[in-house]
PDB file of all heavy atoms in Angstrom:
ATOM      1  N   ASP A  15       3.292   6.331 -23.256  1.00 96.00           N
ATOM      2  CA  ASP A  15       3.380   5.091 -24.030  1.00 96.00           C
ATOM      3  C   ASP A  15       3.137   3.923 -23.074  1.00 96.00           C
ATOM      4  O   ASP A  15       4.078   3.330 -22.544  1.00 96.00           O
ATOM      5  CB  ASP A  15       4.771   5.002 -24.667  1.00 96.00           C
ATOM      6  CG  ASP A  15       5.033   3.597 -25.213  1.00 96.00           C
ATOM      7  OD1 ASP A  15       4.064   2.914 -25.601  1.00 96.00           O
ATOM      8  OD2 ASP A  15       6.220   3.198 -25.227  1.00 96.00           O
ATOM      9  N   GLU A  17       0.179   0.605 -21.829  1.00 96.00           N
ATOM     10  CA  GLU A  17      -0.901  -0.289 -22.225  1.00 96.00           C
ATOM     11  C   GLU A  17      -2.250   0.302 -21.823  1.00 96.00           C
ATOM     12  O   GLU A  17      -2.352   1.013 -20.815  1.00 96.00           O
ATOM     13  CB  GLU A  17      -0.725  -1.665 -21.560  1.00 96.00           C
ATOM     14  CG  GLU A  17       0.596  -2.358 -21.869  1.00 96.00           C
ATOM     15  CD  GLU A  17       1.735  -1.978 -20.925  1.00 96.00           C
ATOM     16  OE1 GLU A  17       1.887  -0.778 -20.592  1.00 96.00           O
ATOM     17  OE2 GLU A  17       2.481  -2.879 -20.517  1.00 96.00           O
ATOM     18  N   ASP A  19      -4.817  -1.115 -20.530  1.00 96.00           N
ATOM     19  CA  ASP A  19      -5.517  -1.671 -19.359  1.00 96.00           C
ATOM     20  C   ASP A  19      -4.836  -1.335 -18.029  1.00 96.00           C
ATOM     21  O   ASP A  19      -5.262  -1.806 -16.979  1.00 96.00           O
ATOM     22  CB  ASP A  19      -5.632  -3.197 -19.501  1.00 96.00           C
ATOM     23  CG  ASP A  19      -4.272  -3.881 -19.510  1.00 96.00           C
ATOM     24  OD1 ASP A  19      -3.247  -3.189 -19.726  1.00 96.00           O
ATOM     25  OD2 ASP A  19      -4.229  -5.117 -19.325  1.00 96.00           O
ATOM     26  N   ARG A  27       1.061   6.755  -9.981  1.00 98.00           N
ATOM     27  CA  ARG A  27       2.154   6.494  -9.043  1.00 98.00           C
ATOM     28  C   ARG A  27       3.486   6.221  -9.755  1.00 98.00           C
ATOM     29  O   ARG A  27       4.497   6.819  -9.427  1.00 98.00           O
ATOM     30  CB  ARG A  27       1.814   5.293  -8.141  1.00 98.00           C
ATOM     31  CG  ARG A  27       0.762   5.606  -7.088  1.00 98.00           C
ATOM     32  CD  ARG A  27       0.527   4.380  -6.192  1.00 98.00           C
ATOM     33  NE  ARG A  27       1.773   3.951  -5.574  1.00 98.00           N
ATOM     34  CZ  ARG A  27       2.310   4.516  -4.498  1.00 98.00           C
ATOM     35  NH1 ARG A  27       1.685   5.505  -3.894  1.00 98.00           N
ATOM     36  NH2 ARG A  27       3.456   4.063  -4.016  1.00 98.00           N
ATOM     37  N   GLU A  29       4.260   6.128 -13.309  1.00 97.00           N
ATOM     38  CA  GLU A  29       4.679   6.900 -14.483  1.00 97.00           C
ATOM     39  C   GLU A  29       4.869   8.368 -14.115  1.00 97.00           C
ATOM     40  O   GLU A  29       5.855   8.980 -14.478  1.00 97.00           O
ATOM     41  CB  GLU A  29       3.635   6.803 -15.609  1.00 97.00           C
ATOM     42  CG  GLU A  29       3.310   5.399 -16.063  1.00 97.00           C
ATOM     43  CD  GLU A  29       4.437   4.756 -16.861  1.00 97.00           C
ATOM     44  OE1 GLU A  29       5.268   5.483 -17.443  1.00 97.00           O
ATOM     45  OE2 GLU A  29       4.480   3.509 -16.883  1.00 97.00           O
ATOM     46  N   LYS A  36      -2.706   6.457  -3.078  1.00 98.00           N
ATOM     47  CA  LYS A  36      -2.154   5.231  -2.497  1.00 98.00           C
ATOM     48  C   LYS A  36      -2.809   3.951  -3.000  1.00 98.00           C
ATOM     49  O   LYS A  36      -3.997   3.912  -3.306  1.00 98.00           O
ATOM     50  CB  LYS A  36      -2.306   5.275  -0.976  1.00 98.00           C
ATOM     51  CG  LYS A  36      -1.574   6.431  -0.298  1.00 98.00           C
ATOM     52  CD  LYS A  36      -0.089   6.449  -0.588  1.00 98.00           C
ATOM     53  CE  LYS A  36       0.642   7.423   0.296  1.00 98.00           C
ATOM     54  NZ  LYS A  36       1.822   8.010  -0.363  1.00 98.00           N
ATOM     55  N   GLY A  38      -4.168   0.466  -1.799  1.00 98.00           N
ATOM     56  CA  GLY A  38      -4.607  -0.130  -0.543  1.00 98.00           C
ATOM     57  C   GLY A  38      -5.149  -1.529  -0.708  1.00 98.00           C
ATOM     58  O   GLY A  38      -4.825  -2.418   0.069  1.00 98.00           O
ATOM     59  N   SER A  43     -12.198  -1.340  -2.978  1.00 98.00           N
ATOM     60  CA  SER A  43     -12.924  -1.486  -1.717  1.00 98.00           C
ATOM     61  C   SER A  43     -12.540  -0.439  -0.674  1.00 98.00           C
ATOM     62  O   SER A  43     -13.400   0.091   0.036  1.00 98.00           O
ATOM     63  CB  SER A  43     -12.674  -2.888  -1.145  1.00 98.00           C
ATOM     64  OG  SER A  43     -13.240  -3.019   0.134  1.00 98.00           O
ATOM     65  N   GLN A  86      -8.368  20.806   3.912  1.00 98.00           N
ATOM     66  CA  GLN A  86      -7.053  20.359   4.399  1.00 98.00           C
ATOM     67  C   GLN A  86      -6.664  21.088   5.683  1.00 98.00           C
ATOM     68  O   GLN A  86      -6.082  20.499   6.598  1.00 98.00           O
ATOM     69  CB  GLN A  86      -5.988  20.566   3.314  1.00 98.00           C
ATOM     70  CG  GLN A  86      -6.139  19.581   2.150  1.00 98.00           C
ATOM     71  CD  GLN A  86      -5.334  19.991   0.937  1.00 98.00           C
ATOM     72  OE1 GLN A  86      -5.447  21.126   0.467  1.00 98.00           O
ATOM     73  NE2 GLN A  86      -4.519  19.092   0.424  1.00 98.00           N
ATOM     74  N   GLN A  93      -6.452  17.701  13.799  1.00 98.00           N
ATOM     75  CA  GLN A  93      -5.420  16.659  13.956  1.00 98.00           C
ATOM     76  C   GLN A  93      -5.980  15.297  13.537  1.00 98.00           C
ATOM     77  O   GLN A  93      -5.928  14.315  14.296  1.00 98.00           O
ATOM     78  CB  GLN A  93      -4.907  16.642  15.405  1.00 98.00           C
ATOM     79  CG  GLN A  93      -4.215  17.939  15.814  1.00 98.00           C
ATOM     80  CD  GLN A  93      -2.772  18.020  15.319  1.00 98.00           C
ATOM     81  OE1 GLN A  93      -1.906  17.288  15.767  1.00 98.00           O
ATOM     82  NE2 GLN A  93      -2.528  18.906  14.341  1.00 98.00           N
ATOM     83  N   GLN A  96      -3.500   9.910  11.459  1.00 98.00           N
ATOM     84  CA  GLN A  96      -2.551   9.222  12.344  1.00 98.00           C
ATOM     85  C   GLN A  96      -1.408   8.731  11.453  1.00 98.00           C
ATOM     86  O   GLN A  96      -0.477   9.481  11.213  1.00 98.00           O
ATOM     87  CB  GLN A  96      -3.247   8.125  13.144  1.00 98.00           C
ATOM     88  CG  GLN A  96      -4.172   8.725  14.207  1.00 98.00           C
ATOM     89  CD  GLN A  96      -4.765   7.699  15.148  1.00 98.00           C
ATOM     90  OE1 GLN A  96      -4.225   6.631  15.380  1.00 98.00           O
ATOM     91  NE2 GLN A  96      -5.910   8.028  15.722  1.00 98.00           N
ATOM     92  N   CYS A  97      -1.508   7.489  10.926  1.00 97.00           N
ATOM     93  CA  CYS A  97      -0.440   7.087  10.003  1.00 97.00           C
ATOM     94  C   CYS A  97      -0.520   7.914   8.723  1.00 97.00           C
ATOM     95  O   CYS A  97       0.479   8.142   8.063  1.00 97.00           O
ATOM     96  CB  CYS A  97      -0.480   5.594   9.710  1.00 97.00           C
ATOM     97  SG  CYS A  97      -1.564   5.078   8.362  1.00 97.00           S
ATOM     98  N   THR A 128     -16.943   5.968   1.887  1.00 98.00           N
ATOM     99  CA  THR A 128     -16.880   4.579   2.372  1.00 98.00           C
ATOM    100  C   THR A 128     -15.430   4.106   2.482  1.00 98.00           C
ATOM    101  O   THR A 128     -15.172   2.916   2.588  1.00 98.00           O
ATOM    102  CB  THR A 128     -17.666   3.651   1.423  1.00 98.00           C
ATOM    103  OG1 THR A 128     -17.129   3.794   0.100  1.00 98.00           O
ATOM    104  CG2 THR A 128     -19.136   4.018   1.399  1.00 98.00           C
ATOM    105  N   ARG A 132      -7.592   2.428   8.959  1.00 98.00           N
ATOM    106  CA  ARG A 132      -7.333   1.420   9.991  1.00 98.00           C
ATOM    107  C   ARG A 132      -6.899   2.048  11.310  1.00 98.00           C
ATOM    108  O   ARG A 132      -6.973   1.414  12.361  1.00 98.00           O
ATOM    109  CB  ARG A 132      -6.272   0.410   9.519  1.00 98.00           C
ATOM    110  CG  ARG A 132      -6.824  -0.609   8.549  1.00 98.00           C
ATOM    111  CD  ARG A 132      -7.787  -1.571   9.214  1.00 98.00           C
ATOM    112  NE  ARG A 132      -7.118  -2.662   9.888  1.00 98.00           N
ATOM    113  CZ  ARG A 132      -7.641  -3.335  10.908  1.00 98.00           C
ATOM    114  NH1 ARG A 132      -8.825  -2.998  11.400  1.00 98.00           N
ATOM    115  NH2 ARG A 132      -6.979  -4.340  11.453  1.00 98.00           N
ATOM    116  N   TYR A 136     -12.027   8.161  12.107  1.00 98.00           N
ATOM    117  CA  TYR A 136     -13.407   8.545  11.746  1.00 98.00           C
ATOM    118  C   TYR A 136     -14.022   9.618  12.643  1.00 98.00           C
ATOM    119  O   TYR A 136     -14.664  10.529  12.133  1.00 98.00           O
ATOM    120  CB  TYR A 136     -14.321   7.309  11.726  1.00 98.00           C
ATOM    121  CG  TYR A 136     -13.852   6.181  10.837  1.00 98.00           C
ATOM    122  CD1 TYR A 136     -13.574   4.928  11.372  1.00 98.00           C
ATOM    123  CD2 TYR A 136     -13.702   6.353   9.458  1.00 98.00           C
ATOM    124  CE1 TYR A 136     -13.155   3.868  10.569  1.00 98.00           C
ATOM    125  CE2 TYR A 136     -13.276   5.297   8.652  1.00 98.00           C
ATOM    126  CZ  TYR A 136     -13.006   4.057   9.211  1.00 98.00           C
ATOM    127  OH  TYR A 136     -12.593   3.023   8.421  1.00 98.00           O
ATOM    128  N   ARG A 140     -15.425  13.190  11.135  1.00 98.00           N
ATOM    129  CA  ARG A 140     -16.767  13.739  11.369  1.00 98.00           C
ATOM    130  C   ARG A 140     -16.695  15.150  11.947  1.00 98.00           C
ATOM    131  O   ARG A 140     -17.417  16.048  11.510  1.00 98.00           O
ATOM    132  CB  ARG A 140     -17.534  12.857  12.359  1.00 98.00           C
ATOM    133  CG  ARG A 140     -18.110  11.624  11.741  1.00 98.00           C
ATOM    134  CD  ARG A 140     -18.899  10.886  12.822  1.00 98.00           C
ATOM    135  NE  ARG A 140     -19.272   9.569  12.354  1.00 98.00           N
ATOM    136  CZ  ARG A 140     -19.371   8.512  13.140  1.00 98.00           C
ATOM    137  NH1 ARG A 140     -19.136   8.612  14.443  1.00 98.00           N
ATOM    138  NH2 ARG A 140     -19.728   7.353  12.647  1.00 98.00           N
TER     139      ARG A 140
ATOM    140  N   ARG B 235       0.806  17.980  16.002  1.00 97.00           N
ATOM    141  CA  ARG B 235       1.823  17.005  15.602  1.00 97.00           C
ATOM    142  C   ARG B 235       2.644  17.514  14.422  1.00 97.00           C
ATOM    143  O   ARG B 235       2.117  18.094  13.484  1.00 97.00           O
ATOM    144  CB  ARG B 235       1.165  15.671  15.264  1.00 97.00           C
ATOM    145  CG  ARG B 235       1.039  14.770  16.468  1.00 97.00           C
ATOM    146  CD  ARG B 235       0.191  13.576  16.189  1.00 97.00           C
ATOM    147  NE  ARG B 235       0.579  12.909  14.944  1.00 97.00           N
ATOM    148  CZ  ARG B 235      -0.098  11.919  14.398  1.00 97.00           C
ATOM    149  NH1 ARG B 235      -1.195  11.480  14.981  1.00 97.00           N
ATOM    150  NH2 ARG B 235       0.307  11.371  13.283  1.00 97.00           N
ATOM    151  N   LYS B 241       0.753  15.084   5.728  1.00 98.00           N
ATOM    152  CA  LYS B 241      -0.177  13.977   5.523  1.00 98.00           C
ATOM    153  C   LYS B 241      -1.529  14.452   4.987  1.00 98.00           C
ATOM    154  O   LYS B 241      -2.439  13.647   4.804  1.00 98.00           O
ATOM    155  CB  LYS B 241      -0.356  13.184   6.829  1.00 98.00           C
ATOM    156  CG  LYS B 241       0.889  12.374   7.194  1.00 98.00           C
ATOM    157  CD  LYS B 241       0.774  11.670   8.539  1.00 98.00           C
ATOM    158  CE  LYS B 241       1.990  10.765   8.754  1.00 98.00           C
ATOM    159  NZ  LYS B 241       1.982  10.122  10.097  1.00 98.00           N
ATOM    160  N   VAL B 242      -1.681  15.742   4.758  1.00 98.00           N
ATOM    161  CA  VAL B 242      -2.940  16.230   4.181  1.00 98.00           C
ATOM    162  C   VAL B 242      -2.753  16.674   2.730  1.00 98.00           C
ATOM    163  O   VAL B 242      -3.725  17.052   2.082  1.00 98.00           O
ATOM    164  CB  VAL B 242      -3.580  17.386   4.995  1.00 98.00           C
ATOM    165  CG1 VAL B 242      -3.796  16.960   6.442  1.00 98.00           C
ATOM    166  CG2 VAL B 242      -2.758  18.657   4.911  1.00 98.00           C
ATOM    167  N   TYR B 248       6.144   7.372   2.204  1.00 98.00           N
ATOM    168  CA  TYR B 248       6.137   6.112   2.954  1.00 98.00           C
ATOM    169  C   TYR B 248       7.094   5.139   2.251  1.00 98.00           C
ATOM    170  O   TYR B 248       7.572   5.407   1.131  1.00 98.00           O
ATOM    171  CB  TYR B 248       4.727   5.523   2.971  1.00 98.00           C
ATOM    172  CG  TYR B 248       3.707   6.411   3.654  1.00 98.00           C
ATOM    173  CD1 TYR B 248       3.051   7.410   2.949  1.00 98.00           C
ATOM    174  CD2 TYR B 248       3.412   6.250   5.002  1.00 98.00           C
ATOM    175  CE1 TYR B 248       2.127   8.240   3.568  1.00 98.00           C
ATOM    176  CE2 TYR B 248       2.491   7.075   5.631  1.00 98.00           C
ATOM    177  CZ  TYR B 248       1.845   8.065   4.914  1.00 98.00           C
ATOM    178  OH  TYR B 248       0.935   8.874   5.537  1.00 98.00           O
ATOM    179  N   ILE B 250       6.422   2.593   0.595  1.00 98.00           N
ATOM    180  CA  ILE B 250       5.897   2.202  -0.720  1.00 98.00           C
ATOM    181  C   ILE B 250       6.122   3.294  -1.770  1.00 98.00           C
ATOM    182  O   ILE B 250       5.964   3.038  -2.969  1.00 98.00           O
ATOM    183  CB  ILE B 250       4.392   1.846  -0.593  1.00 98.00           C
ATOM    184  CG1 ILE B 250       3.935   0.926  -1.735  1.00 98.00           C
ATOM    185  CG2 ILE B 250       3.530   3.094  -0.504  1.00 98.00           C
ATOM    186  CD1 ILE B 250       2.548   0.330  -1.533  1.00 98.00           C
ATOM    187  N   ASP B 251       6.517   4.496  -1.338  1.00 98.00           N
ATOM    188  CA  ASP B 251       6.654   5.626  -2.263  1.00 98.00           C
ATOM    189  C   ASP B 251       8.095   5.919  -2.669  1.00 98.00           C
ATOM    190  O   ASP B 251       8.328   6.812  -3.492  1.00 98.00           O
ATOM    191  CB  ASP B 251       6.082   6.898  -1.612  1.00 98.00           C
ATOM    192  CG  ASP B 251       4.613   6.756  -1.259  1.00 98.00           C
ATOM    193  OD1 ASP B 251       3.884   6.076  -2.011  1.00 98.00           O
ATOM    194  OD2 ASP B 251       4.194   7.322  -0.230  1.00 98.00           O
ATOM    195  N   ARG B 284       5.937  -7.327 -21.769  1.00 97.00           N
ATOM    196  CA  ARG B 284       6.591  -6.027 -21.732  1.00 97.00           C
ATOM    197  C   ARG B 284       7.115  -5.695 -20.323  1.00 97.00           C
ATOM    198  O   ARG B 284       6.388  -5.827 -19.341  1.00 97.00           O
ATOM    199  CB  ARG B 284       5.595  -4.945 -22.167  1.00 97.00           C
ATOM    200  CG  ARG B 284       6.233  -3.562 -22.231  1.00 97.00           C
ATOM    201  CD  ARG B 284       5.280  -2.522 -22.758  1.00 97.00           C
ATOM    202  NE  ARG B 284       5.908  -1.193 -22.669  1.00 97.00           N
ATOM    203  CZ  ARG B 284       5.286  -0.063 -22.967  1.00 97.00           C
ATOM    204  NH1 ARG B 284       4.035  -0.077 -23.391  1.00 97.00           N
ATOM    205  NH2 ARG B 284       5.918   1.097 -22.862  1.00 97.00           N
ATOM    206  N   ARG B 302       7.647  -1.872 -14.199  1.00 98.00           N
ATOM    207  CA  ARG B 302       6.492  -1.241 -13.567  1.00 98.00           C
ATOM    208  C   ARG B 302       5.796  -2.291 -12.713  1.00 98.00           C
ATOM    209  O   ARG B 302       5.772  -3.476 -13.069  1.00 98.00           O
ATOM    210  CB  ARG B 302       5.493  -0.714 -14.598  1.00 98.00           C
ATOM    211  CG  ARG B 302       6.017   0.404 -15.479  1.00 98.00           C
ATOM    212  CD  ARG B 302       6.199   1.700 -14.694  1.00 98.00           C
ATOM    213  NE  ARG B 302       6.639   2.788 -15.560  1.00 98.00           N
ATOM    214  CZ  ARG B 302       7.914   3.066 -15.835  1.00 98.00           C
ATOM    215  NH1 ARG B 302       8.895   2.327 -15.312  1.00 98.00           N
ATOM    216  NH2 ARG B 302       8.224   4.084 -16.627  1.00 98.00           N
ATOM    217  N   ARG B 305       3.035  -4.266 -14.563  1.00 98.00           N
ATOM    218  CA  ARG B 305       3.567  -5.274 -15.496  1.00 98.00           C
ATOM    219  C   ARG B 305       4.063  -6.505 -14.727  1.00 98.00           C
ATOM    220  O   ARG B 305       3.891  -7.639 -15.178  1.00 98.00           O
ATOM    221  CB  ARG B 305       4.682  -4.665 -16.346  1.00 98.00           C
ATOM    222  CG  ARG B 305       4.119  -3.686 -17.355  1.00 98.00           C
ATOM    223  CD  ARG B 305       5.185  -2.964 -18.174  1.00 98.00           C
ATOM    224  NE  ARG B 305       4.525  -1.913 -18.952  1.00 98.00           N
ATOM    225  CZ  ARG B 305       5.058  -0.712 -19.211  1.00 98.00           C
ATOM    226  NH1 ARG B 305       6.277  -0.423 -18.789  1.00 98.00           N
ATOM    227  NH2 ARG B 305       4.381   0.178 -19.922  1.00 98.00           N
ATOM    228  N   LYS B 308       0.949  -8.502 -13.852  1.00 97.00           N
ATOM    229  CA  LYS B 308       0.356  -9.213 -14.999  1.00 97.00           C
ATOM    230  C   LYS B 308       1.198 -10.428 -15.379  1.00 97.00           C
ATOM    231  O   LYS B 308       0.673 -11.489 -15.689  1.00 97.00           O
ATOM    232  CB  LYS B 308       0.241  -8.272 -16.208  1.00 97.00           C
ATOM    233  CG  LYS B 308      -0.930  -7.308 -16.086  1.00 97.00           C
ATOM    234  CD  LYS B 308      -1.253  -6.653 -17.409  1.00 97.00           C
ATOM    235  CE  LYS B 308      -2.016  -7.599 -18.322  1.00 97.00           C
ATOM    236  NZ  LYS B 308      -2.594  -6.900 -19.478  1.00 97.00           N
ATOM    237  N   HIS B 373      -3.415  -8.101  10.561  1.00 98.00           N
ATOM    238  CA  HIS B 373      -3.217  -6.690  10.926  1.00 98.00           C
ATOM    239  C   HIS B 373      -3.920  -5.769   9.938  1.00 98.00           C
ATOM    240  O   HIS B 373      -4.543  -4.789  10.333  1.00 98.00           O
ATOM    241  CB  HIS B 373      -1.736  -6.339  10.956  1.00 98.00           C
ATOM    242  CG  HIS B 373      -0.942  -7.095  11.980  1.00 98.00           C
ATOM    243  ND1 HIS B 373      -0.503  -8.376  11.768  1.00 98.00           N
ATOM    244  CD2 HIS B 373      -0.525  -6.746  13.209  1.00 98.00           C
ATOM    245  CE1 HIS B 373       0.159  -8.784  12.844  1.00 98.00           C
ATOM    246  NE2 HIS B 373       0.166  -7.809  13.739  1.00 98.00           N
ATOM    247  N   ARG B 461      -2.850  -6.676  -1.507  1.00 98.00           N
ATOM    248  CA  ARG B 461      -3.637  -6.838  -0.285  1.00 98.00           C
ATOM    249  C   ARG B 461      -3.868  -8.326  -0.001  1.00 98.00           C
ATOM    250  O   ARG B 461      -3.852  -8.765   1.156  1.00 98.00           O
ATOM    251  CB  ARG B 461      -4.984  -6.102  -0.423  1.00 98.00           C
ATOM    252  CG  ARG B 461      -5.909  -6.272   0.774  1.00 98.00           C
ATOM    253  CD  ARG B 461      -5.291  -5.793   2.079  1.00 98.00           C
ATOM    254  NE  ARG B 461      -4.957  -4.384   2.053  1.00 98.00           N
ATOM    255  CZ  ARG B 461      -4.237  -3.776   2.992  1.00 98.00           C
ATOM    256  NH1 ARG B 461      -3.778  -4.458   4.034  1.00 98.00           N
ATOM    257  NH2 ARG B 461      -3.963  -2.495   2.887  1.00 98.00           N
ATOM    258  N   ILE B 678     -14.280  -1.641  10.376  1.00 98.00           N
ATOM    259  CA  ILE B 678     -15.186  -0.510  10.602  1.00 98.00           C
ATOM    260  C   ILE B 678     -14.947   0.582   9.549  1.00 98.00           C
ATOM    261  O   ILE B 678     -13.807   0.882   9.212  1.00 98.00           O
ATOM    262  CB  ILE B 678     -14.930   0.068  12.015  1.00 98.00           C
ATOM    263  CG1 ILE B 678     -15.251  -0.967  13.100  1.00 98.00           C
ATOM    264  CG2 ILE B 678     -15.689   1.379  12.243  1.00 98.00           C
ATOM    265  CD1 ILE B 678     -16.696  -1.166  13.385  1.00 98.00           C
ATOM    266  N   ARG B 679     -16.045   1.138   9.059  1.00 98.00           N
ATOM    267  CA  ARG B 679     -15.979   2.328   8.193  1.00 98.00           C
ATOM    268  C   ARG B 679     -16.787   3.426   8.873  1.00 98.00           C
ATOM    269  O   ARG B 679     -17.366   3.203   9.933  1.00 98.00           O
ATOM    270  CB  ARG B 679     -16.533   2.010   6.804  1.00 98.00           C
ATOM    271  CG  ARG B 679     -15.769   0.855   6.133  1.00 98.00           C
ATOM    272  CD  ARG B 679     -16.264   0.580   4.722  1.00 98.00           C
ATOM    273  NE  ARG B 679     -15.740  -0.678   4.223  1.00 98.00           N
ATOM    274  CZ  ARG B 679     -15.118  -0.842   3.055  1.00 98.00           C
ATOM    275  NH1 ARG B 679     -14.979   0.186   2.227  1.00 98.00           N
ATOM    276  NH2 ARG B 679     -14.666  -2.024   2.686  1.00 98.00           N
ATOM    277  N   LEU B 680     -16.859   4.601   8.249  1.00 98.00           N
ATOM    278  CA  LEU B 680     -17.601   5.718   8.859  1.00 98.00           C
ATOM    279  C   LEU B 680     -19.023   5.317   9.261  1.00 98.00           C
ATOM    280  O   LEU B 680     -19.512   5.685  10.324  1.00 98.00           O
ATOM    281  CB  LEU B 680     -17.678   6.890   7.879  1.00 98.00           C
ATOM    282  CG  LEU B 680     -16.601   7.970   8.011  1.00 98.00           C
ATOM    283  CD1 LEU B 680     -16.653   8.898   6.803  1.00 98.00           C
ATOM    284  CD2 LEU B 680     -16.785   8.775   9.294  1.00 98.00           C
ATOM    285  N   CYS B 683     -19.119   3.367  12.553  1.00 98.00           N
ATOM    286  CA  CYS B 683     -18.259   3.821  13.641  1.00 98.00           C
ATOM    287  C   CYS B 683     -19.112   4.517  14.712  1.00 98.00           C
ATOM    288  O   CYS B 683     -19.823   5.469  14.428  1.00 98.00           O
ATOM    289  CB  CYS B 683     -17.210   4.792  13.109  1.00 98.00           C
ATOM    290  SG  CYS B 683     -16.103   5.382  14.385  1.00 98.00           S
TER     291      CYS B 683
END
Side-chain angles (χ1 to χ4, degrees):
Chain A
D15 167 29
E17 302 87 317
D19 64 343
R27 287 183 57 81
E29 303 288 337
K36 299 303 191 211
S43 174
Q86 289 166 308
Q93 297 280 292
Q96 289 187 26
C97 86
T128 57
R132 283 291 277 155
Y136 305 120
R140 281 183 190 147
Chain B
R235 271 170 49 187
K241 289 175 174 176
V242 304
Y248 298 86
I250 203 169
D251 300 325
R284 183 176 174 185
R302 296 290 183 272
R305 288 176 189 144
K308 283 195 77 167
H373 297 80
R461 177 58 61 190
I678 297 283
R679 302 183 192 231
L680 266 169
C683 181

